[in-house]
Amino acid sequence: MGYDCDVIVVGGGPAGLCAAIRTRWVKRYKAIPCSTLLIENSYLGGLASWRGCLFTGPSWKMEGKDVVRRLLKDVEDLKIGVHQGRVSRINAEGEVKEVFTSDGKVFRCLAVIIATGIKALVNEKDYLGRGLEVTSMGYEFIVSHLRKVLSRRWEPRLVVVGSEKLRNLIPLIRELNQDRSPLLFVMEGEGKGGEDVMRGWIERYWGDGDGRLQGVTVRTSKGPRKIRCGKVLLDFNSYELAPAWRMEIGTEEFGSSFIKINQDMETSIPGLFAGGDVTSGGYNSFSRAVAQGMAAGLSAYRYIYHKKFGTYPPLFAYRPTDFLIPSDFEELPSLDEDLLPKSLVDGKEIEALLGRKWAGLSKSFNGKLSIRKMAEKKNVAIEDLKKVLKRLAEKKMITFHIDLIINRPGGNTFRPL
Ligand SMILES: Cc1cc2nc3c(=O)[nH]c(=O)nc-3n(C[C@H](O)[C@H](O)[C@H](O)COP(=O)(O)OP(=O)(O)OC[C@H]3O[C@@H](n4cnc5c(N)ncnc54)[C@H](O)[C@@H]3O)c2cc1C
């Protein structure tokens, strides 16, 4: 059974970017990379690319967007595929996972990392400080903040957006507003609305030629609704209590709630990992997202490696802890003849490196032709071909897919003492 890539990372915030990078780059150069696809609903960088997000402080800090810029460079240098679209469903049962996007595409992979944060972002960033204001940092300053926003009249209305937990703020907002501005509360998610409460999903913020916010489009169960407003207050606190990331995972355990993980970012479903704000535990921050994303990426790498080579990668000395290192120990795994080389770069780059003897070889790196068949086709010794393939893998130009009908060699070569 074929598949498109080893790993799919859903969400391109700091957690997703770090996860994707680690499936490709791992801890050092000599490693067999994964074929990885990153799927992002809006723009790469997530919340960390917003003005004012700092990594970390108080006596030192880096701007979130500067760190994101570096992460994006790594994604580009490592040639990690990016697809723009919203993941609407994941079928995580079975060995091959299916990831469905709202534009009708289906991607198949062996492992999925969920890094969707607390909210599916749209184009909020374009209107920050230009009619769109956010609450964050808990409820410590909420009363003074709301008093300020509600002290003036907003025409034709003030829209307050949040998750279902926006419910906590509604009475206070109504009280402080004192009928000054017409109010509309948009609670992201499915369910029943009310007189001034709408249920649905924010699709887009829009504005005038000067880039000032003029309204918002909400996708409701009855279709899109365009709502004009003078101001939007986006209550991030509510998403910290209950996220709204709008994706079905075909089991009852997951939904629009935080995802439970163990210390390796594994969920209870084999091959399904999660990291960043979407995981339960709180203390959401850039640094936590980076750390968890990185751990999720490494765990997915390890999972995939075991599937392909029947052994765990020697990159992780701490697990399994004690093992006897034989004198013929190899840093890279031996390549089974049934492995299916898959290109991660443009074929021309591979050809330029290999020279004339191997000309045309890169055309076969489609994840469908085995090493054995390739050697036959090229009429070359299989060991010579394997040496070339290892060299290309070390340079992150190819990886290996597996034919899931063929049984991989089982067992872990690092046996505990
Ligand atoms: C206003 C504000 C200020 C902050 N300031 C700081 C700060 O100064 N310092 C700090 O450390 N932290 C700060 N944070 C928190 C920090 O930004 C987050 O903890 C961090 O960005 C989380 O990273 P993440 O990758 O888990 O999620 P996010 O950054 O939220 O990224 C998740 C990504 O997944 C995408 N996504 C969601 N659903 C889907 C889907 N179904 N399909 C495809 N893509 C999807 C989203 O569009 C988004 O791009 C701030 C947060 C806010 C809201």
Side-chain angles (χ1 to χ4, degrees), residues 11 13-15 40-41 46-47 52-54 85 87 115-117 120-121 276-277 285-286 289:
E40 166 55 49
N41 187 46
L47 282 174
C53 179
L54 299 176
V87 172
T116 45
L121 299 174
D277 284 2
S285 63
F286 195 142

Side-chain angles (χ1 to χ4, degrees), residues 212-241:
R212 259 210 86 73
L213 182 76
Q214 287 202 318
V216 56
T217 303
V218 183
R219 178 155 295 274
T220 68
S221 55
K222 293 188 180 125
R225 292 271 311 273
K226 281 187 97 175
I227 298 152
R228 296 190 80 82
C229 59
K231 179 100 175 160
V232 170
L233 185 64
L234 180 52
D235 181 28
F236 262 99
N237 294 319
S238 63
Y239 296 95
E240 285 182 8
L241 292 170

Side-chain angles (χ1 to χ4, degrees), residues 149-150 152-158 177-183:
V149 174
L150 296 164
R152 59 171 280 195
R153 180 177 168 82
W154 297 103
E155 292 284 358
R157 63 181 62 78
L158 168 71
N177 180 50
Q178 292 177 340
D179 293 330
R180 210 170 280 121
S181 305
L183 295 174

Side-chain angles (χ1 to χ4, degrees), residues 333-354:
S334 60
L335 299 181
D336 198 281
E337 291 169 17
D338 293 320
L339 286 167
L340 313 167
K342 162 99 176 167
S343 182
L344 300 174
V345 298
D346 193 294
K348 285 193 199 117
E349 276 184 57
I350 296 177
E351 300 289 325
L353 186 87
L354 292 185

